[in-house]
Amino acid sequence: MAQKPSIPKGTRDFNPLEVSKRNYIIEIIRKHFERFGYQPIETPAMENRETLMGKYGEEGDRLIFKILNSGDFVKKVTPELWEQKDSGKLTPVLTEKALRYDLTVPFARFVVMHQNDIDFPFKRYQIQPVWRADRPQKGRFREFYQCDADVVGARGAVQELEFIQLYDRVFSDLGLKGVTVKVNNRKILSGIAEVIGAPQRLTDFTVALDKLDKIGREKVEAEMIAKGIPEASVRKAAPLFDLQGSASRQLESLKAFLSDSSVGMQGVSELEFLLLETERLGLHTASCQMDITLARGLNYYTGAIFEVSAPSGVTMGSIGGGGRYDDLTGIFGLQDVSGVGISFGLDRIYLVMEELGLFPSALSQTLEVFCLNFGAAESRAALKLIMQLRDRGIRADMYPDDVKVAKQFKYADKREVPFVVLIGDEELRQSQFTVKDMKTGHQESYPMEDWQRFAARLRP
Amino acid sequence: MAQKPSIPKGTRDFNPLEVSKRNYIIEIIRKHFERFGYQPIETPAMENRETLMGKYGEEGDRLIFKILNSGDFVKKVTPELWEQKDSGKLTPVLTEKALRYDLTVPFARFVVMHQNDIDFPFKRYQIQPVWRADRPQKGRFREFYQCDADVVGARGAVQELEFIQLYDRVFSDLGLKGVTVKVNNRKILSGIAEVIGAPQRLTDFTVALDKLDKIGREKVEAEMIAKGIPEASVRKAAPLFDLQGSASRQLESLKAFLSDSSVGMQGVSELEFLLLETERLGLHTASCQMDITLARGLNYYTGAIFEVSAPSGVTMGSIGGGGRYDDLTGIFGLQDVSGVGISFGLDRIYLVMEELGLFPSALSQTLEVFCLNFGAAESRAALKLIMQLRDRGIRADMYPDDVKVAKQFKYADKREVPFVVLIGDEELRQSQFTVKDMKTGHQESYPMEDWQRFAARLRP
């Protein structure tokens, strides 16, 4: 019995139009990555299990896809271990390899492995799929692309400044106008924790504070206390609830609030540089905004933090994010290498572009010229013409069999072909071809040797 | 203790230059695929295990990477099965998913799954990695890219003709001149088996015959007999040893030899069409050659068979191949869909291009303009200039920190930057920038507001 085919849940097939749209986004991201001096690398889909395990927390370890050892994998398991029937204990013995979970840990591994061949500072980009055994849901997949740009070995604040420019240029070029690049600094968050005297509760604090706009001050304070933040700390945080107005006003309030925390003041100063210089350089279509509730990957980042939100009116989580992490490669034994990077969320950008109708309509027009097939001799003449057009860079094709003309025209319609070429027996006798403009319906005949005149209509 | 990082054997990291070279090949292949009317699809890295198993023979089943089920995978195993400790029997219970082994089976699965959304004939291309648990060796990897173009739902011989043109155009465009596209037809091989009366020994027969040039007739015959081909059959095959001269002479001899086999004569007629029409259309730099010993994937192909060999003088196996398979989708329940396709061997093409020095030298020049960093104020001015250049499409960058100038110049040298821009305090005061042409050593200063004049040197 033949199988009814399906694919694993959380994975996707992409049809031609979807591939073209995805590549359209990817190529624009790539173009700007390269203009900004980033160089591409690629790493294997499979890493050694030990390279990945322990890098993403307990949850992450569970979500990493492991590859069953080839051959007689049972042989490696001791009888005692086999008796225990413990999946957790068996996994390290049954699997040596795993699918990459993100592009950052493989990049850190790459930098350490190839440190003698790399010219630092190293600006690399990487656009490859990653895999996570997450519960699939709308907009969350088990296989998805990440588009990352990172710099290692550079501490200058200019890098952070550049990333805001990079976000702006990519989204402007995609026609996705009005995105907001929210910025914060991990050091400000550390400063806040210091000042209010609740360093252990920083995550709960920022998660609650983030809801200020939606649920109001009272409920935010209630949530903080419910999460175990001492009331005294919540009271001390009062000035943060009043952060409003222009960036410079907010920065002044923050400076007053954090004046006793040197790390906090350092964070304010870094953020201030970023905001001022961004204003001086200008942005094409994006805007940049400070947001002290921004705390993505809190345990990970050590300096600037970025997050990009879609234009207002579009309901979508962040479409990009990143930040500085001061010890990228320490886990692999190379100390003191600072990294800073950002990521573009391909799938979400795709959804936003689709919702706003931003994909060029030309993406669905994959053929420019289509020849009908009227039989053996006619199709041989057609093929010669087609090859000449292709050699001029024109995407041209012919129906492969001489089926009914109506069926061939229907196919040409579906492929949205602008020009259909007819070479029937009459044309063959007169050594010419007829071109039908599918938009206007207008037909025109050319002598075969005049094909260049027709080609020039498409490639002037 | 930090881990000393490594990657699984048979997998590879690609550095920026390697990625650029690989993308150079891939983009040329993609360009011609699209000119020829092929449309891209992408399928997930992971397929259901059952989709892949049993499609590549016993050897193939072993070489497929299986993914260990997530969570408590032991729970699904019955105590009896656990007792047996049999890796082969446990695999189907421990794994639901597997990594794709080639692009053809996923494509067949795609066609069946999406048959109602596809406009047939469907010309698709697919450029994605595949994984095989093969023993790694020189030029053979556990992760490698396949670049495939296939047509389904078209029986016309024009498709085969087009594939020869496609090979020619891709390899000509890559500068890889003088490749040979060898063609054969499965029906000719069936005819030979019929005529010599040894249908079961066809593989052994062609494998031996293929060595004729290298080891001579006597040894070939000895090998055939050693492999169990009856002496009478070997004697009957005598005319095949004398196939020589032009294609038309060889075809005439074949016709005489196969006159009693209708399938054989059908094969000769198809091959003849292909050779004649290829001659009529012409090829840019490749040549096309019949080769009746060509028998790749014997159990798979049903009509034309292709194989491309590198230019003479380069020691390398085939750099491409393909053929017609009359029942592509039957395994998934969709009968009577004919397919024909070819593949480009990316890794081998890369090695040949490298050996012949065919990669453009510009691939290593990733930056066009590089600004030195002389401090905070200077670098802010530099960044503004750089952003203006980038907006003109120029790949420009700056050293991220104001380290010693010699170190910055050394970096610029390594990156092969043609123009280095200097904005020191003197330039800053006069609101200008100095450009050093790294080839000639010539320096020239521009007022800041004249940056367009400099940009025009790079983008006239």
Side-chain angles (χ1 to χ4, degrees), chain A residues 13 72 87 109 277 380, chain B residues 13 72 87 109 277 380:
Chain A
D13 282 329
D72 190 5
S87 295
R109 192 266 309 145
E277 290 302 316
R380 284 204 300 273
Chain B
D13 281 330
D72 191 3
S87 295
R109 194 265 311 145
E277 290 302 315
R380 285 205 298 274

Side-chain angles (χ1 to χ4, degrees), chain B residues 97-149:
Chain B
K97 292 178 281 288
L99 293 180
R100 84 183 145 232
Y101 182 83
D102 74 355
L103 301 179
T104 307
V105 169
F107 174 50
R109 194 265 311 145
F110 180 100
V111 168
V112 176
M113 247 180 93
H114 305 286
Q115 52 184 294
N116 297 326
D117 305 317
I118 292 174
D119 303 315
F120 293 97
F122 184 41
K123 297 175 79 169
R124 90 85 173 78
Y125 76 84
Q126 193 168 354
I127 301 176
Q128 290 193 284
V130 301
W131 295 269
R132 297 183 183 180
D134 246 326
R135 186 185 302 274
Q137 50 181 255
K138 195 173 181 305
R140 194 202 279 166
F141 304 99
R142 292 187 153 185
E143 174 180 58
F144 59 97
Y145 266 70
Q146 290 195 332
C147 312
D148 284 15

Side-chain angles (χ1 to χ4, degrees), chain B residues 155-211:
Chain B
R155 293 190 181 274
V158 169
Q159 299 310 313
E160 280 89 333
L161 197 51
E162 277 212 334
F163 280 126
I164 298 172
Q165 296 285 318
L166 179 53
Y167 270 135
D168 173 59
R169 295 311 195 271
V170 167
F171 286 117
S172 297
D173 204 355
L174 286 169
L176 197 49
K177 295 171 186 171
V179 306
T180 303
V181 184
K182 292 182 283 187
V183 293
N184 194 14
N185 195 299
R186 176 65 170 87
K187 293 170 189 164
I188 291 177
L189 296 173
S190 300
I192 292 173
E194 249 180 67
V195 168
I196 67 173
Q200 313 305 329
R201 285 277 170 275
L202 188 51
T203 305
D204 293 329
F205 180 85
T206 51
V207 165
L209 188 59
D210 189 33
K211 298 176 184 164

Side-chain angles (χ1 to χ4, degrees), chain A residues 2-3 5-8 11-16 19 23 30 34-37 39-48 50-51 55 65-68 70-74 77 79 82 85 87 90-91 94-95 97 99 109-110 112-114 119-123 131 133 142-143 154-156 158-159 161-162 165 169 277 280-281 284 330-333 366-367 379-380 383-384 387 390-391 393-401 411 414-415, chain B residues 2-3 5-8 11-16 19 23 30 34-37 39-48 50-51 55 65-68 70-74 77 82 85 87 90-91 94-95 97 99 109-110 112-114 119-123 131 133 142-143 154-156 158-159 161-162 165 169 277 280-281 284 330-333 366-367 379-380 383-384 387 390-391 393-401 411 414-415:
Chain A
Q3 306 159 338
S6 64
I7 52 176
T11 68
R12 294 166 289 172
D13 282 329
F14 296 107
N15 69 30
V19 173
N23 284 347
R30 184 194 305 278
E34 295 190 348
R35 280 188 191 170
F36 275 67
Q39 297 182 280
I41 69 162
E42 290 184 9
T43 63
M46 301 186 287
E47 293 276 351
N48 290 326
E50 285 311 312
T51 299
K55 310 303 188 297
F65 281 111
K66 291 106 189 164
I67 293 166
L68 186 63
S70 300
D72 190 5
F73 53 83
V74 167
V77 188
W82 196 255
K85 293 188 73 171
S87 295
L90 281 167
T91 302
L94 296 179
T95 63
K97 292 177 281 287
L99 293 181
R109 192 266 309 145
F110 180 99
V112 176
M113 245 180 95
H114 305 286
D119 302 315
F120 293 97
F122 183 42
K123 297 175 80 168
W131 295 268
R142 292 188 152 185
E143 174 180 58
R155 292 189 183 275
V158 169
Q159 298 312 312
L161 198 50
E162 276 212 335
Q165 297 285 319
R169 295 313 195 269
E277 290 302 316
R280 195 182 60 87
L281 279 171
H284 286 183
I331 38 171
F332 298 115
T366 47
L367 272 183
S379 69
R380 284 204 300 273
L383 188 58
K384 186 164 182 195
M387 284 311 306
R390 286 171 178 166
D391 283 342
I394 294 164
R395 296 190 303 277
D397 207 359
M398 172 173 67
Y399 203 88
D401 303 296
Y411 181 87
K414 283 200 172 170
R415 293 287 300 268
Chain B
Q3 305 159 340
S6 65
I7 52 177
T11 69
R12 294 165 288 173
D13 281 330
F14 296 107
N15 69 30
V19 173
N23 284 346
R30 184 194 305 280
E34 295 189 348
R35 280 188 191 170
F36 275 68
Q39 298 182 279
I41 70 162
E42 289 184 13
T43 62
M46 301 186 287
E47 294 276 351
N48 290 326
E50 285 310 312
T51 299
K55 309 303 187 298
F65 282 111
K66 290 106 191 165
I67 293 166
L68 186 64
S70 299
D72 191 3
F73 53 83
V74 167
V77 187
W82 196 256
K85 293 190 73 169
S87 295
L90 281 166
T91 301
L94 295 178
T95 63
K97 292 178 281 288
L99 293 180
R109 194 265 311 145
F110 180 100
V112 176
M113 247 180 93
H114 305 286
D119 303 315
F120 293 97
F122 184 41
K123 297 175 79 169
W131 295 269
R142 292 187 153 185
E143 174 180 58
R155 293 190 181 274
V158 169
Q159 299 310 313
L161 197 51
E162 277 212 334
Q165 296 285 318
R169 295 311 195 271
E277 290 302 315
R280 194 182 61 86
L281 281 171
H284 286 182
I331 39 172
F332 298 116
T366 47
L367 273 182
S379 68
R380 285 205 298 274
L383 188 56
K384 184 162 184 200
M387 283 312 305
R390 287 172 178 165
D391 283 342
I394 293 165
R395 296 190 304 276
D397 207 0
M398 173 172 66
Y399 203 88
D401 305 297
Y411 181 85
K414 282 200 173 170
R415 292 286 300 268

